[in-house]
Amino acid sequence: MLVMKDVSKVYRTEMVETHAVRDLTLEASEGEFVSITGPSGSGKTTFLNIAGLLEELTGGEYRLDGVDVKQLDDRARSRLRNEKIGFVFQSFNLIPDLNLFDNVDVPLRYRRLTRGERGKRIERALERVGLASRTRHFPAELSGGQQQRVAIARAIAGDPKLLLADEPTGNLDSQMAREVMQLLEELNAQGTLVVIVTHDPEIAARAQRNIHIVDGVAADLERGPSLVRPTRAAAQPSVA
Amino acid sequence: MFTYYLDLARRSLRRNVALTVLMIVAIAFGVGASMTTLTVLHVLSVDPIPRKSRDLYFVQLDPQKANSYKPGEPPPEQVTRADAEALVRAGKADRQAMMTGGNAAIEPERAGLVPFFADGRWTSSEFFAMFDVPFIAGGPWTAEDDAHAARIAVIARALAEKLFGATDVVGKTIRVEGTELRIAGVIDTWRPTPHFYDLNTDVYGKGEQLFVPFSTSRELKLSRSGSMDCFDQSPEPEAVGAPCVWLQLWVELDSTAKASAYRELLTHYSEDQKAAGRFERAPNVRLRDVRDWLDFKEVVPRDVRLQTWIALGFLLVCLINTVGLLLTKFLRRSVEIGVRRALGASKRSIFLQLLVEAGTIGLAGGALGLGLAWLGLWVVRHQPTPYAELAALDLPMLAATFALAVITSLLAGLLPAWRGCQVTPAIQLKSH
């Protein structure tokens, strides 16, 4: 499903060159639950953005569901992102002046589905997260946990094969965090590849695999360096 | 997607009403001011006879004294009676007509009507065909009528209705300055604007009510109006041989080759007249078509052109303000744009969404601008200018107002929409 080979991301300014991700190689299949950990600024989010086609890679190769993303223009990348990927963010990122129905509708609009088809999917997604009765409410009328559930509904409404979650429980209390994690695990159990960036060791421990990134270099803590090949110069110490 | 973008635009515009109103008002004022001045310019610079304006030529000759000649000086704007009659008689153009304005007392037979003065044109028979004058009854008089100073006339619909309560009055007579004239034809309402064939009279006036053969007008000594310039002493300035220019002479030539030939004819004519001792100067002739003639006479006042440029400059300032406001508005929504990008919107989708929003503002600005233009033109109509009553929005200008508003706002939206669609979603989603 997700195949990265020697992927690197370099941010260049006139003065500085910053290697956010170095020579990252990773394969992950449908049905896997992968956590990404590492200290702040280590490159976790950059990895997630590359995986989510929000950033272009500087080097290496990335195939998503068999498609070489490097060859795609913006429209094709956007279409692929829309069809294959769901996003869940730490800050929920719901659009404040759209009600829940319309928020969940956003990704479906870009897929140009019929009105009826969109309606069915939205209702199903909101039902899935337990908010079917509140379709006409606005985000500001919901608790943080409920907003994150709406964000999950929005992410899954398009039936993505890959769900990318960036600190999805970071702004939630422990009870709500548990609920959200349970929801993600249910989705994963149904075959969705879930990749979650987290600082929380407890959440990382619930994943089948944990990729630890330090200074842009990644190591697979569960399966060893065979699937994640660290950079030539570094990362060996972080491999368990 | 367009309706979706429209819906998003509506929501976005409602989100910050004050900013939205500010942008709409900025566009409205720019459009309103521009359309007011553009409408006045349009009304003043419209081609009065578009189908033939390149075929109709105004003739100028120079019969003046040699001692007052200044090199490069253009010939007088009118011709003498002798030259006009000679050139009409020669008939070398496809059509030709000599003319002057005038007015005459009409004595109605209809009960309850008192005598009144009507504006008239004393001309020759081909005037009507040359200028495509629309007849609703009868037709023009003939060249023979010209030659014999026939007691004949063509009248306008309004005069026919006033005198007879009907327009089908061909064959009836009209009493002009004590003489009965037989009505040969009735023309429909005809008001070429500007009054191109004689700019010495009211340029934006309502046109003439009475048309009489020039020869008849001289025999009846009907009064004339317009300007007259005599370059020598003359006891009877309107006489055939008088050294006075006071007539307009128009010719119709349907090709540039014919126009060149006619210009040459005028030169030869001037040489002949000089040889005969009538003209003293070297041939100095002009043959201008309608558009050139209107340009030469600067029919559109310079201050109207200046006002138009100022108003367009004001529109530009409004446009720049709107660009700034839209840029602020769109970039403030970077997070939303980032979310939409993450959820599958392409840069193009975001660009179109933002452009539709800008266009919506433009439509609203156009509607308000239309109101302001209407108000501006109402003010113009109440000014003491000769063209005041013409200042009104017609259908093309109405369409132009909306087009201007939408194009303006789309132009204003291009840069902000482009900047908006370039938002890097990854940065926005993390920083929020």
Side-chain angles (χ1 to χ4, degrees):
Chain A
M1 174 67 200
L2 185 154
V3 180
M4 288 185 181
K5 194 176 172 190
D6 295 332
V7 164
S8 62
K9 178 69 187 178
V10 182
Y11 295 105
R12 291 190 176 91
T13 63
E14 283 180 13
M15 306 291 287
V16 192
E17 221 176 54
T18 307
H19 292 256
V21 172
R22 296 170 189 263
D23 296 338
L24 188 147
T25 296
L26 168 69
E27 279 184 30
S29 311
E30 284 177 55
E32 280 196 87
F33 198 121
V34 182
S35 67
I36 311 288
T37 56
S40 292
S42 60
K44 304 186 298 292
T45 300
T46 304
F47 160 74
L48 207 68
N49 288 332
I50 291 171
L53 311 179
L54 295 176
E55 298 239 25
E56 292 190 25
L57 17 155
T58 312
E61 199 179 296
Y62 174 26
R63 300 181 83 84
L64 179 64
D65 204 20
V67 179
D68 182 358
V69 303
K70 229 178 166 181
Q71 308 301 323
L72 304 178
D73 62 10
D74 179 70
R75 284 182 80 174
R77 285 169 73 89
S78 300
R79 195 177 304 126
L80 189 65
R81 187 163 57 233
N82 179 266
E83 288 172 1
K84 306 286 182 188
I85 305 171
F87 280 96
V88 179
F89 307 100
Q90 181 177 356
S91 313
F92 325 135
N93 284 332
L94 298 176
I95 298 171
D97 53 354
L98 299 182
N99 61 29
L100 304 197
F101 187 94
D102 291 334
N103 259 292
V104 178
D105 190 25
V106 172
L108 305 179
R109 285 282 186 170
Y110 297 112
R111 203 178 290 187
R112 306 192 177 217
L113 300 173
T114 62
R115 191 194 184 96
E117 175 67 17
R118 291 199 328 266
K120 273 187 216 159
R121 284 176 180 243
I122 294 164
E123 278 170 23
R124 202 165 55 215
L126 282 170
E127 203 167 319
R128 182 76 189 272
V129 300
L131 290 167
S133 60
R134 309 192 68 174
T135 53
R136 299 298 155 195
H137 285 70
F138 285 85
E141 297 166 350
L142 305 180
S143 69
Q146 288 170 324
Q147 288 192 42
Q148 193 60 298
R149 279 153 62 192
V150 176
I152 292 171
R154 182 176 66 183
I156 63 172
D159 292 332
K161 289 186 170 179
L162 168 63
L163 192 66
L164 297 173
D166 191 359
E167 302 274 10
T169 58
N171 285 358
L172 304 178
D173 61 34
S174 54
Q175 171 60 28
M176 287 179 177
R178 265 195 298 278
E179 284 178 22
V180 165
M181 281 308 295
Q182 201 175 333
L183 206 49
L184 292 177
E185 282 166 353
E186 282 173 21
L187 292 167
N188 173 243
Q190 288 164 4
T192 308
L193 167 59
V194 177
V195 178
I196 182 168
V197 165
T198 183
H199 275 113
D200 188 337
E202 201 179 308
I203 287 172
R206 293 170 74 159
Q208 296 157 2
R209 290 169 65 189
N210 175 221
I211 310 295
H212 192 68
I213 300 179
V214 179
D215 292 337
V217 179
D220 191 327
L221 298 182
E222 257 47 56
R223 293 185 181 176
S226 60
L227 284 177
V228 173
R229 194 179 68 210
T231 185
R232 288 166 287 281
Q236 288 93 333
S238 67
V239 176
Chain B
M1 287 302 276
F2 182 71
T3 50
Y4 182 54
Y5 294 152
L6 269 183
D7 184 48
L8 292 178
R10 183 183 59 79
R11 289 169 193 267
S12 167
L13 297 178
R14 280 172 57 182
R15 197 181 303 159
N16 191 335
V17 175
L19 188 63
T20 302
V21 168
L22 199 60
M23 287 187 289
I24 290 174
V25 167
I27 288 180
F29 270 102
V31 168
S34 302
M35 289 316 298
T36 302
T37 55
L38 279 172
T39 301
V40 172
L41 185 68
H42 166 71
V43 164
L44 299 187
S45 55
V46 71
D47 188 339
I49 183 160
R51 208 171 63 81
K52 293 176 89 171
S53 58
R54 287 295 182 204
D55 295 341
L56 298 176
Y57 293 86
F58 188 72
V59 176
Q60 290 175 265
L61 299 166
D62 197 345
Q64 299 174 104
K65 295 285 183 193
N67 55 14
S68 60
Y69 179 69
K70 293 182 192 121
E73 186 183 25
E77 290 174 9
Q78 298 182 100
V79 295
T80 64
R81 181 172 168 183
D83 295 325
E85 287 184 344
L87 288 167
V88 168
R89 204 163 39 241
K92 297 291 185 188
D94 295 335
R95 289 190 179 106
Q96 41 266 305
M98 57 186 284
M99 67 196 79
T100 182
N103 57 70
I106 312 281
E107 299 160 51
E109 288 178 6
R110 197 173 176 189
L113 273 184
V114 294
F116 58 90
F117 277 94
D119 284 336
R121 181 131 302 258
W122 323 144
T123 183
S124 48
S125 58
E126 291 185 325
F127 172 91
F128 303 95
M130 249 175 99
F131 295 137
D132 282 346
V133 183
F135 277 85
I136 49 172
W141 60 80
T142 63
E144 203 173 322
D145 294 326
D146 279 332
H148 296 100
R151 299 314 189 238
I152 199 163
V154 166
I155 63 173
R157 170 197 279 269
L159 184 58
E161 286 171 347
K162 184 174 182 178
L163 291 175
F164 305 101
T167 54
D168 186 14
V169 294
V170 174
K172 293 188 177 181
T173 58
I174 175 173
R175 194 169 175 81
V176 177
E177 301 278 0
T179 303
E180 300 282 339
L181 303 182
R182 185 174 57 82
I183 297 169
V186 179
I187 64 167
D188 205 353
T189 305
W190 183 60
R191 185 184 181 182
T193 305
H195 190 257
F196 67 97
Y197 53 82
D198 185 359
L199 297 171
N200 297 299
T201 53
D202 192 357
V203 176
Y204 301 102
K206 289 183 176 169
E208 297 88 355
Q209 295 292 301
L210 176 67
F211 299 83
V212 172
F214 177 79
S215 51
T216 312
S217 80
R218 292 308 89 211
E219 283 197 3
L220 299 180
K221 297 195 185 315
L222 299 181
S223 72
R224 47 157 295 278
S225 57
S227 71
M228 174 184 276
D229 188 15
C230 294
F231 44 88
D232 206 350
Q233 296 285 341
S234 175
E236 277 188 85
E238 293 170 16
V240 178
C244 300
V245 288
W246 60 289
L247 292 164
Q248 301 92 47
L249 176 61
W250 284 88
V251 293
E252 182 176 342
L253 303 158
D254 64 7
S255 69
T256 49
K258 284 183 182 177
S260 299
Y262 200 84
R263 200 172 281 114
E264 210 170 308
L265 178 143
L266 292 176
T267 303
H268 291 318
Y269 175 81
S270 298
E271 284 168 350
D272 291 347
Q273 296 305 309
K274 192 179 177 196
R278 265 195 74 228
F279 286 11
E280 294 183 5
R281 297 182 180 182
N284 184 17
V285 303
R286 297 285 188 284
L287 197 59
R288 300 177 206 268
D289 67 23
V290 174
R291 289 189 211 173
D292 291 343
W293 175 236
L294 294 177
D295 286 345
F296 174 71
K297 291 293 287 176
E298 293 184 347
V299 167
V300 180
R302 284 186 184 184
D303 61 333
V304 170
R305 288 188 196 278
L306 183 66
Q307 283 164 13
T308 306
W309 283 114
I310 291 172
L312 288 174
F314 179 61
L315 178 66
L316 185 67
V317 171
C318 294
L319 187 78
I320 291 168
N321 267 324
T322 309
V323 170
L325 292 171
L326 280 174
L327 205 53
T328 308
K329 187 176 172 63
F330 290 168
L331 292 183
R332 208 187 270 173
R333 280 158 58 197
S334 295
V335 175
E336 182 196 323
I337 293 170
V339 172
R340 288 186 178 278
R341 294 277 286 128
L343 298 178
S346 62
K347 285 181 182 175
R348 183 174 170 272
S349 304
I350 298 293
F351 182 74
L352 289 176
Q353 177 194 329
L354 299 180
L355 212 56
V356 167
E357 190 170 328
T360 308
I361 291 168
L363 273 179
L368 186 60
L370 190 66
L372 291 175
W374 182 86
L375 190 68
L377 290 169
W378 181 84
V379 172
V380 172
R381 281 198 297 277
H382 288 78
Q383 299 300 306
T385 51
Y387 53 81
E389 68 168 299
L390 298 170
L393 278 175
D394 55 13
L395 203 61
M397 291 312 279
L398 201 71
T401 304
F402 271 103
L404 184 71
V406 173
I407 290 169
T408 300
S409 58
L410 288 180
L411 278 178
L414 276 179
L415 175 68
W418 177 250
R419 291 286 299 274
C421 80
Q422 297 300 318
V423 160
T424 311
I427 294 172
Q428 297 305 325
L429 297 172
K430 191 62 187 173
S431 62
H432 179 56

